[in-house]
Amino acid sequence: MPSPLPPSADPYVIFMPSGRRRHVASGTTLLEAARHMGVEIESICGGRLTCGKCKVRIEEGAFSKHGIVSSQQHLSAPTAAEEAWLRQADDENMRLACNARVWGDVLAFVPAESRAQKQIIRKSAGERVIEVAPTVRQVYVEVDAAQLGEHRGDWGRLQDALAEQWRLQNLEIDLPALQKLQSALRHDNWAVTVTVYSESEVIDVQAGYVEGVYGLAVDIGSTTVAAYLCDLRTGALLATAAAMNPQVAYGEDLMSRISYATAHRHGLQKMHDAVIDTINRLGAQAARQAKIRRRQIVDAVFVGNTTMIHILLGINPVELGEAPFALARREGMDLRARDLNLHLHPGAHVMIMPAEAGHVGADNVGVLIAEAPYQQDDEVVLIVDVGTNAEILLGNKNGMYSASSPTGPAFEGAQIQFGMRAAPGAIERVRIDAVTKIPRFRVIGEERWCDTWHDTPPQHLVAGICGSGIIEVIAELYLQGLLLPDGRFNSAIASERLVWEGARGAYILATPEQSASGEAILVTHEDVRAIQLAKAALYAGAKLLMKRAGITHIDRITLAGAFGSTIDPQHAMVLGLIPDCELDKVHAVGNAAGDGARIALLNRHKRREAEQVAPWVHYIETAVDPEFQDEFVRAIHIPHQRDAFPHLQDILPVAGQHPVPPARARRRRTARGRRQS
Amino acid sequence: MPSPLPPSADPYVIFMPSGRRRHVASGTTLLEAARHMGVEIESICGGRLTCGKCKVRIEEGAFSKHGIVSSQQHLSAPTAAEEAWLRQADDENMRLACNARVWGDVLAFVPAESRAQKQIIRKSAGERVIEVAPTVRQVYVEVDAAQLGEHRGDWGRLQDALAEQWRLQNLEIDLPALQKLQSALRHDNWAVTVTVYSESEVIDVQAGYVEGVYGLAVDIGSTTVAAYLCDLRTGALLATAAAMNPQVAYGEDLMSRISYATAHRHGLQKMHDAVIDTINRLGAQAARQAKIRRRQIVDAVFVGNTTMIHILLGINPVELGEAPFALARREGMDLRARDLNLHLHPGAHVMIMPAEAGHVGADNVGVLIAEAPYQQDDEVVLIVDVGTNAEILLGNKNGMYSASSPTGPAFEGAQIQFGMRAAPGAIERVRIDAVTKIPRFRVIGEERWCDTWHDTPPQHLVAGICGSGIIEVIAELYLQGLLLPDGRFNSAIASERLVWEGARGAYILATPEQSASGEAILVTHEDVRAIQLAKAALYAGAKLLMKRAGITHIDRITLAGAFGSTIDPQHAMVLGLIPDCELDKVHAVGNAAGDGARIALLNRHKRREAEQVAPWVHYIETAVDPEFQDEFVRAIHIPHQRDAFPHLQDILPVAGQHPVPPARARRRRTARGRRQS
């Protein structure tokens, strides 16, 4: 349809919000114009009016010198097929960019949902933006019909169509896709939607125009396996599913699973099958939630610690149990889901994220790309991911250092007499009155603090103490003078809450009336020791990294993992869990490893980034460093040096503030060897 | 060990039988010298004295101007480790090239078994030489041990070793190999033998020095599946195993199998499973024969007609049953054996040879690379592979043409009243006495001709007539005047062997006494018609190709396939089965398709050649060519034109030689449409 007013000069097109602008030849479609200017507008069908993805809003068509004219006169009129799409849009200024030819000046606004490079906000982690650039995408093509006397074969003709219509060259096709190719091509008159992996392989061919490719990010923790189902086109998180890692049945900590794999005839196979089975169930569950079919999941990214990844891949983890802790493979790996017996799309790929070293695995690389400290200009960032082991990352773009600290499971409530997982009834918050030494606390599943329970009985009585609770109570005990810096209870303070068995004190945190079992909940001398050892290992790891990196000051601390999300930064610092830092620069980011898996799932460039960054991080082996042991011993006290924590000056007790028992000979306690667990 | 007589000039080294020669730096090993000169000496261990493959015979060390000296003085003395190898050699002039340093002039003979590029003679096909350059090879490497503070991982260290010791770069590793990597490395002090696919992927890692990689070439015929087990290092054919294609149960010919795949719910799956199962059994059987384990088979090449390959790949062959006969895929395909449920090495690959067009499949491409007519300079070659369909190749390096002729199964004994497969008791040779018109014949399984049976009864009485027998008897009937050129029996000849049912004659080939059933074995009017139609289709196909290629004269005819091996060229030409050619230029080559598979298995360059040549051949679709029908009609007579066969001038009957019945109105018989079977 020719323009009623052919302009003398080539029309001028501006795209918002990018503001890119250029003269284009009259008759160019808005989609072609956009591609010319590097403005990425989504299009799956390539201008065939079957996908409706390239909607743009015509803001203004009259910024030329010719005076004000109606915008629509500067574009070819919508065809009937386009109008059918536009009726769904609820906005009369919308057009499909592929079908609107430019006859005069146009200003077009590309709404977020029409941008090819979508961005999503990752809410859990400080509102970080993820650019959606998935490894798998769908394209719609129309293929030449087979003809007598032409022998390219259906795959040859599809290749030619993909090269011509989508510039996809040198493709291969996976066998399951080839098996259905001929019927798909003939079902809808030689029009098909092709699912392409990494611009290099066709993994599915479906008749006609079809939408929907999904991906699964999986974080395989020692205790919990979490799966995140994402729409690969929009980046949206559609469903989350989590389950206990069934390998717990074969050993609570990593070391016992390594032993199980080695000592039992089919130990590795059993644990491998158990985790695969769990992932299959989580995939099915997430697909049900999102109302998609499991076989629409075409891509997956897995993270986990090195032992979990070894078992996932069917590799005996025995080497990770003893020095020199050799990985089978440090690089990431691209596998067929079917080779792992995963029930996803038959052509689905699985990317295993790379590891850094024997004790810093794909999960830490997930944290790495989620937080991207290696992009920091000058700020020095410390990232602590506390699980059964603590992985520590330190640095910025000038250099990154990592280590694994053998904290043991105390922070998770294990090795604590009344310790428990973070579940209803677990004490998670504690304050101790400075004068009465009586505690106030709050349990998970109950909003109110315990000092208001007398009005109405709480929903959950006290069942135990979880990780964050034990941190807080020990820090509070120290702040209120009930604990001495060396971790002994203070016999110089008289309190009904302090009980003694010889020289070993204990503190009554919850009375029998407050407790579900009717038994008092105590914090014991041994509990304090266990936490001291764990926090000393963590602190020593961080301190060793600072030394190796030549860093004396930390600008920002990020606490990753479930435990990191619940602990109070101030108490963590009082206890000497983390080095000194401005308190408002300490943040929790939740499951950053899972976030990293999700980022790699949605953005193929981030996968390459992970491969490049993982070996670039300097890994410091704490197990063999004599300085680690020195730091560890020095970090046993609570907090070991007052002047190491300038940001706690106003909080920490000063000499003479509390009564202290008579001095006694100081005993050295040496660091334990590495404890893999 | 320094030379006792350091020569003034650099030593001069000659390698025989190539005759390559050059001065080399004193102290160079013979292996290094050979590599420098492009003389390929085999070495698996890379000079570590673990493989003993680089043995050379020192023929002469004294061709310098310094006079005659003992050869051994011109080489460093053997070390104890080398001597251990040399003791096995039974030849005191042998040395290991990797361990013999050149201090003076040396003439070294490289025996065939030490050549890296081995050659084997393919006996079945005119003594053709195959260069052994397999896709899979083994290399022995010594890897750095894992150390604390070094985090490349075992795979990283293996990659580094392979790059350094074998210049193998950018390798990947298959999951099953990765699963055993760590234990293999530690089992024999970090020395391993690595199996490498296509210089790009590690598919196995075994502890220490290990020898033995094997491959399977498989020809999937409609009737028979044949497997050839080869040593990939030496090229030797170790075992052959064949079995009936179990798909015969679902349909004798291709068309009925296509129908079965389409009409029955699990028809495709059943036929797919059946052939996979057969290949697995043949692989196991061949491995047992060769005394190797089936999982040592690391590579495979499959050929077959397009329907067989579709079913093998789990692709419904329905499109091959009707115009335009579209292939799912024309290109060859590289698959994992495990993706086809083949029980070979867990990392084994399978290469499916490419096809040419819907009716000329991977089996014909096998024939193509086995016979390599595209390398012929000027001679024009016609290759006929007679099976249920006949595939025809024509041309030379200036152009190749192919076609499939719808001969139907008459040549295989089907559609013939007393027809049968080539099995004991089948008449395979026939001569008819010019005067008495009494036949002499020979059956399979009995050396003697039937006219000597009266002395001792034969081992097998006559059970029927096989393909070659029917060709001979019809040609003889024509030569002796019993058949007229139009295929009718000649009523003008009186013979007790001719019987009549109205105008339709028949010939008594075997009497009731000679027959196993006690019933006379006849050649009927309808049998002659069936053979006429089949031979006309074959001849018309060849003739059409000649026209399209602009060729009038054929220099050489190659008969491929089992049928081609048993028929007598002269009778075939008398019948007009093949075009005119000098009789001594007509040769049978046996299963050339299987030979082609074996060649592609042993030589990776031939695989690429197949990929390049297959689409380069001009495929002529007989089904749509009106000239094919004209040629077909013209070829119905026996032989249709006397002057079309100058090489048969002395044999063919001349006008008036035999009595003929009175002329009758000539009826045209039109060609049938394509019959896929």
Side-chain angles (χ1 to χ4, degrees):
Chain A
M1 185 178 173
S3 164
L5 293 168
S8 51
D10 281 342
Y12 197 59
V13 177
I14 305 179
F15 284 104
M16 295 303 282
S18 68
R20 301 207 181 175
R21 56 196 70 206
R22 192 180 288 179
H23 285 285
V24 301
S26 189
T28 308
T29 67
L30 275 174
L31 187 61
E32 289 160 359
R35 286 192 177 152
H36 243 240
M37 297 184 209
V39 173
E40 301 219 36
I41 297 180
E42 183 164 24
S43 169
I44 298 179
C45 72
R48 290 196 185 75
L49 295 170
T50 46
C51 78
K53 292 281 178 283
C54 64
K55 290 193 196 77
V56 293
R57 198 163 61 241
I58 308 303
E59 292 283 345
E60 174 68 75
F63 49 93
S64 77
K65 294 168 194 159
H66 307 299
I68 295 169
V69 287
S70 154
S71 63
Q72 294 299 331
Q73 288 180 359
H74 282 195
L75 290 172
S76 62
T79 59
E82 185 185 347
E83 275 182 342
W85 279 109
L86 299 178
R87 271 193 293 278
Q88 301 171 11
D90 265 354
D91 182 339
E92 59 183 23
N93 291 321
M94 282 293 183
R95 290 297 305 272
L96 292 187
C98 69
N99 204 45
R101 295 191 179 275
V102 179
W103 299 116
D105 299 349
V106 169
L107 184 140
F109 183 84
V110 186
E113 65 272 18
S114 299
R115 284 171 210 151
Q117 301 285 345
K118 290 192 177 47
Q119 295 187 328
I120 62 158
I121 308 294
R122 189 163 55 98
K123 295 219 180 67
S124 58
E127 304 275 305
R128 206 179 285 281
V129 169
I130 307 173
E131 189 181 278
V132 180
T135 305
V136 178
R137 64 171 173 139
Q138 288 183 309
V139 294
Y140 170 88
V141 272
E142 293 178 358
V143 181
D144 292 346
Q147 283 184 48
L148 260 176
E150 183 271 290
H151 313 294
R152 281 177 293 169
D154 283 355
W155 167 236
R157 275 188 304 278
L158 176 58
Q159 277 179 291
D160 291 349
L162 288 167
E164 195 193 308
Q165 294 165 39
W166 292 99
R167 296 184 193 199
L168 288 163
Q169 308 267 7
N170 302 319
L171 295 178
E172 250 313 324
I173 183 166
D174 191 29
L175 184 59
L178 184 65
Q179 287 169 339
K180 58 190 289 207
L181 171 65
Q182 297 201 292
S183 73
L185 282 171
R186 283 154 186 84
H187 192 268
D188 199 1
N189 196 26
W190 302 89
V192 287
T193 302
V194 175
T195 308
V196 183
Y197 174 80
S198 196
E199 309 294 276
S200 66
E201 185 193 38
V202 169
I203 59 171
D204 201 1
V205 183
Q206 291 165 277
Y209 177 78
V210 183
E211 238 180 88
V213 274
Y214 304 93
L216 202 66
V218 181
D219 176 17
I220 307 168
S222 321
T223 311
T224 307
V225 182
Y228 307 89
L229 178 65
C230 299
D231 184 321
L232 292 180
R233 191 177 64 76
T234 64
L237 175 62
L238 302 181
T240 302
M244 173 83 90
N245 187 332
Q247 295 169 358
V248 167
Y250 306 104
E252 189 84 15
D253 58 32
L254 297 180
M255 202 57 211
S256 28
R257 292 192 209 163
I258 292 173
S259 304
Y260 189 83
T262 314
H264 290 75
R265 197 168 146 66
H266 299 294
L268 170 62
Q269 189 68 44
K270 274 188 203 166
M271 290 192 289
H272 170 80
D273 291 348
V275 73
I276 293 290
D277 184 55
T278 298
I279 296 168
N280 278 333
R281 280 188 297 109
L282 292 177
Q285 188 182 326
R288 263 196 312 277
Q289 269 181 55
K291 296 191 170 53
I292 65 158
R293 280 170 298 125
R294 185 159 60 164
R295 51 170 293 140
Q296 288 179 287
I297 302 173
V298 292
D299 197 12
V301 173
F302 286 14
V303 298
N305 63 51
T306 52
T307 303
M308 290 300 102
I309 295 295
H310 273 235
I311 295 173
L312 175 80
L313 294 178
I315 302 170
N316 194 314
V318 58
E319 295 305 326
L320 300 175
E322 59 193 28
F325 314 111
L327 287 167
R329 178 184 174 110
R330 182 172 61 176
E331 295 92 334
M333 195 162 188
D334 176 4
L335 292 165
R336 291 275 182 205
R338 60 177 181 255
D339 280 342
L340 287 177
N341 288 318
L342 291 170
H343 304 150
L344 306 176
H345 186 280
H349 284 247
V350 169
M351 192 242 179
I352 312 290
M353 290 275 263
E356 292 161 43
H359 289 114
V360 182
D363 48 356
N364 195 249
V365 176
V367 172
L368 197 59
I369 67 163
E371 293 304 311
Y374 50 83
Q375 290 173 348
Q376 278 295 333
D377 271 335
D378 296 308
E379 270 202 339
V380 171
V381 183
L382 176 75
I383 305 175
V384 179
D385 191 0
V386 179
T388 307
N389 270 8
E391 284 102 35
I392 312 171
L393 283 164
L394 176 73
N396 55 28
K397 72 172 198 184
N398 303 313
M400 286 298 307
Y401 295 79
S402 73
S404 168
S405 269
T407 54
F411 289 147
E412 293 183 318
Q415 301 181 340
I416 303 294
Q417 187 171 350
F418 290 93
M420 66 178 284
R421 294 197 185 285
I427 291 175
E428 59 165 352
R429 287 270 170 275
V430 181
R431 292 293 180 277
I432 296 178
D433 187 87
V435 178
T436 64
K437 313 299 183 195
I438 302 288
R440 294 168 63 231
F441 57 78
R442 213 175 66 185
V443 298
I444 295 176
E446 177 63 46
E447 287 290 295
R448 297 170 300 154
W449 288 73
C450 69
D451 50 357
T452 66
W453 287 4
H454 46 81
D455 301 327
T456 324
Q459 208 180 339
H460 297 278
L461 283 169
V462 178
I465 317 171
C466 73
S468 60
I470 197 78
I471 299 295
E472 291 206 1
V473 69
I474 293 176
E476 286 283 318
L477 286 168
Y478 171 69
L479 289 174
Q480 304 316 331
L482 290 157
L483 270 185
L484 296 168
D486 66 2
R488 284 178 299 131
F489 280 95
N490 189 349
S491 58
I493 289 192
S495 162
E496 61 188 31
R497 290 286 177 148
L498 274 185
V499 290
W500 296 89
E501 194 180 306
R504 303 160 100 83
Y507 178 75
I508 301 169
L509 178 54
T511 60
E513 298 75 44
Q514 292 171 319
S515 151
S517 67
E519 193 187 352
I521 305 293
L522 302 180
V523 178
T524 68
H525 177 84
E526 288 72 22
D527 294 345
V528 177
R529 281 285 178 255
I531 291 294
Q532 273 182 287
L533 294 173
K535 74 103 188 178
L538 183 53
Y539 188 88
K543 215 60 194 169
L544 185 69
L545 286 194
M546 289 174 72
K547 265 202 183 163
R548 290 286 168 275
I551 284 169
T552 53
H553 174 77
I554 288 169
D555 297 300
R556 195 146 54 79
I557 296 180
T558 299
L559 300 170
F563 173 74
S565 302
T566 53
I567 57 172
D568 173 46
Q570 180 174 313
H571 285 98
M573 213 181 285
V574 165
L575 207 59
L577 207 70
I578 49 176
D580 186 66
C581 178
E582 274 183 53
L583 276 175
D584 62 358
K585 290 292 185 77
V586 183
H587 293 288
V589 293
N591 183 1
D595 284 344
R598 199 145 65 83
I599 290 169
L601 182 67
L602 295 180
N603 187 308
R604 59 185 181 275
H605 311 300
K606 285 284 175 181
R607 297 188 188 188
R608 275 205 297 279
E609 200 169 293
E611 288 286 1
Q612 287 158 2
V613 170
W616 175 77
V617 174
H618 301 276
Y619 173 75
I620 308 296
E621 184 64 74
T622 53
V624 290
D625 202 311
E627 286 192 74
F628 176 77
Q629 299 221 347
D630 290 344
E631 288 292 349
F632 177 80
V633 170
R634 235 176 285 150
I636 291 279
H637 277 205
I638 307 174
H640 51 101
Q641 282 177 288
R642 191 186 156 82
D643 50 355
F645 293 90
H647 289 100
L648 293 179
Q649 290 300 347
D650 303 336
I651 302 162
L652 292 181
V654 290
Q657 188 179 327
H658 301 297
V660 287
R664 51 167 206 165
R666 201 173 149 208
R667 279 179 308 183
R668 271 184 78 92
R669 180 168 186 135
T670 56
R672 293 165 306 163
R674 165 170 296 279
R675 226 181 22 191
Q676 241 246 3
S677 52
Chain B
M1 185 179 173
S3 163
L5 292 168
S8 52
D10 280 342
Y12 197 58
V13 178
I14 305 180
F15 283 104
M16 294 303 282
S18 68
R20 300 208 182 174
R21 56 195 71 203
R22 190 180 289 178
H23 286 285
V24 301
S26 188
T28 308
T29 68
L30 275 175
L31 187 62
E32 288 161 0
R35 287 192 178 154
H36 242 240
M37 297 184 209
V39 173
E40 301 220 35
I41 296 180
E42 184 164 24
S43 168
I44 298 180
C45 72
R48 290 197 184 73
L49 296 170
T50 46
C51 79
K53 291 282 177 284
C54 64
K55 289 193 196 77
V56 293
R57 197 163 63 240
I58 307 304
E59 292 283 347
E60 174 68 75
F63 49 92
S64 76
K65 294 167 193 161
H66 307 300
I68 294 169
V69 287
S70 154
S71 63
Q72 294 299 332
Q73 288 180 1
H74 282 196
L75 289 173
S76 62
T79 58
E82 185 184 346
E83 275 183 341
W85 279 109
L86 299 178
R87 273 194 292 277
Q88 301 171 11
D90 263 355
D91 182 338
E92 58 182 22
N93 291 322
M94 282 293 184
R95 289 298 304 272
L96 292 188
C98 68
N99 204 45
R101 293 191 180 276
V102 178
W103 298 116
D105 298 349
V106 169
L107 183 139
F109 183 82
V110 185
E113 66 271 18
S114 299
R115 285 173 209 150
Q117 300 287 343
K118 290 190 177 50
Q119 294 188 329
I120 62 159
I121 307 293
R122 190 163 55 97
K123 294 217 181 68
S124 58
E127 302 275 308
R128 204 179 287 281
V129 168
I130 307 173
E131 189 182 277
V132 180
T135 305
V136 179
R137 65 171 173 139
Q138 288 182 309
V139 294
Y140 170 87
V141 271
E142 293 177 359
V143 181
D144 293 345
Q147 284 184 46
L148 259 177
E150 184 271 290
H151 312 294
R152 282 177 292 170
D154 283 354
W155 167 235
R157 275 189 303 278
L158 176 58
Q159 278 180 292
D160 290 348
L162 287 167
E164 196 193 307
Q165 294 165 39
W166 292 98
R167 297 187 192 195
L168 287 163
Q169 308 268 6
N170 301 318
L171 295 178
E172 250 312 324
I173 183 166
D174 191 28
L175 184 58
L178 184 65
Q179 286 169 341
K180 58 191 287 209
L181 171 66
Q182 296 200 293
S183 73
L185 282 171
R186 283 156 185 82
H187 192 269
D188 199 2
N189 196 27
W190 302 88
V192 287
T193 302
V194 175
T195 309
V196 184
Y197 174 80
S198 194
E199 310 293 277
S200 65
E201 185 193 38
V202 169
I203 60 171
D204 201 1
V205 183
Q206 292 165 277
Y209 177 77
V210 183
E211 237 179 270
V213 275
Y214 304 93
L216 202 66
V218 181
D219 176 18
I220 308 168
S222 320
T223 311
T224 308
V225 182
Y228 306 89
L229 179 65
C230 299
D231 184 321
L232 291 181
R233 191 176 64 77
T234 64
L237 175 63
L238 303 181
T240 302
M244 173 82 91
N245 187 331
Q247 295 168 0
V248 167
Y250 306 104
E252 189 84 14
D253 58 32
L254 296 180
M255 201 58 211
S256 29
R257 291 193 210 162
I258 293 173
S259 303
Y260 189 82
T262 314
H264 290 74
R265 197 168 146 66
H266 299 295
L268 170 63
Q269 188 68 43
K270 274 188 203 166
M271 290 193 289
H272 170 81
D273 292 348
V275 72
I276 293 291
D277 185 54
T278 299
I279 296 169
N280 279 332
R281 280 188 297 109
L282 292 177
Q285 187 183 326
R288 262 196 312 278
Q289 269 180 57
K291 295 191 170 56
I292 65 158
R293 280 170 296 125
R294 184 159 61 165
R295 52 170 291 140
Q296 288 179 287
I297 302 174
V298 292
D299 197 12
V301 173
F302 286 14
V303 298
N305 62 52
T306 52
T307 303
M308 289 300 102
I309 295 296
H310 274 236
I311 296 174
L312 175 80
L313 294 178
I315 302 170
N316 193 314
V318 57
E319 295 305 326
L320 301 175
E322 59 193 27
F325 315 110
L327 288 166
R329 179 184 173 109
R330 181 171 62 177
E331 296 91 335
M333 195 161 186
D334 176 5
L335 291 166
R336 292 274 181 203
R338 60 178 181 255
D339 280 342
L340 287 177
N341 288 318
L342 291 170
H343 303 150
L344 307 176
H345 185 281
H349 284 248
V350 169
M351 194 241 179
I352 312 291
M353 290 274 263
E356 291 162 43
H359 289 113
V360 182
D363 47 358
N364 195 249
V365 176
V367 172
L368 197 58
I369 65 164
E371 293 304 311
Y374 49 84
Q375 290 173 348
Q376 277 295 333
D377 272 334
D378 296 308
E379 269 201 339
V380 172
V381 184
L382 176 75
I383 305 175
V384 179
D385 191 1
V386 179
T388 307
N389 270 8
E391 285 103 35
I392 313 170
L393 283 163
L394 175 74
N396 54 29
K397 73 171 197 186
N398 303 313
M400 285 299 306
Y401 295 79
S402 73
S404 168
S405 271
T407 53
F411 290 147
E412 293 183 318
Q415 301 181 342
I416 303 294
Q417 189 171 349
F418 291 92
M420 65 177 284
R421 294 195 186 285
I427 292 175
E428 59 165 352
R429 287 269 170 274
V430 181
R431 292 292 180 275
I432 296 177
D433 187 86
V435 179
T436 65
K437 313 300 183 196
I438 303 288
R440 296 167 62 230
F441 56 79
R442 213 175 65 184
V443 298
I444 295 177
E446 177 61 46
E447 288 289 296
R448 298 168 301 154
W449 287 74
C450 67
D451 48 358
T452 66
W453 286 5
H454 47 81
D455 301 329
T456 323
Q459 208 179 338
H460 298 278
L461 285 169
V462 178
I465 317 170
C466 73
S468 60
I470 196 79
I471 300 294
E472 291 205 2
V473 69
I474 293 176
E476 287 284 317
L477 287 169
Y478 172 70
L479 289 173
Q480 305 317 330
L482 289 158
L483 270 187
L484 297 167
D486 67 1
R488 283 178 301 131
F489 281 95
N490 189 351
S491 57
I493 289 191
S495 162
E496 61 186 32
R497 291 285 177 148
L498 274 186
V499 291
W500 296 89
E501 194 180 305
R504 303 159 99 85
Y507 178 76
I508 300 169
L509 179 55
T511 60
E513 297 76 43
Q514 293 171 318
S515 150
S517 66
E519 192 186 355
I521 305 293
L522 303 180
V523 179
T524 68
H525 176 85
E526 288 72 22
D527 294 344
V528 177
R529 282 283 178 255
I531 291 294
Q532 274 183 285
L533 294 173
K535 74 103 188 177
L538 182 52
Y539 188 86
K543 216 57 194 171
L544 184 69
L545 286 194
M546 290 174 73
K547 264 202 186 163
R548 290 284 169 275
I551 284 169
T552 53
H553 175 77
I554 289 170
D555 297 300
R556 194 148 53 79
I557 296 180
T558 299
L559 300 170
F563 173 75
S565 303
T566 53
I567 57 172
D568 172 46
Q570 180 173 314
H571 286 98
M573 215 181 286
V574 165
L575 208 59
L577 206 71
I578 49 175
D580 185 67
C581 178
E582 276 183 51
L583 276 174
D584 62 357
K585 289 293 185 74
V586 183
H587 293 288
V589 293
N591 184 2
D595 284 344
R598 198 144 64 84
I599 291 169
L601 181 67
L602 296 179
N603 188 306
R604 60 184 180 276
H605 311 301
K606 284 285 176 183
R607 297 188 188 188
R608 274 204 297 278
E609 201 169 293
E611 289 286 1
Q612 286 157 2
V613 170
W616 176 77
V617 174
H618 300 276
Y619 173 76
I620 307 297
E621 184 66 75
T622 53
V624 290
D625 202 311
E627 284 193 76
F628 176 78
Q629 299 222 347
D630 291 343
E631 289 291 349
F632 178 82
V633 170
R634 234 176 284 150
I636 291 281
H637 277 202
I638 305 173
H640 49 102
Q641 283 177 287
R642 192 187 155 81
D643 50 356
F645 294 91
H647 289 100
L648 293 179
Q649 290 299 346
D650 303 337
I651 303 161
L652 291 182
V654 290
Q657 187 178 327
H658 301 297
V660 288
R664 53 167 201 164
R666 203 172 148 206
R667 278 180 308 184
R668 274 185 76 93
R669 179 167 189 136
T670 56
R672 292 166 304 165
R674 164 171 296 279
R675 223 181 25 190
Q676 240 247 4
S677 53

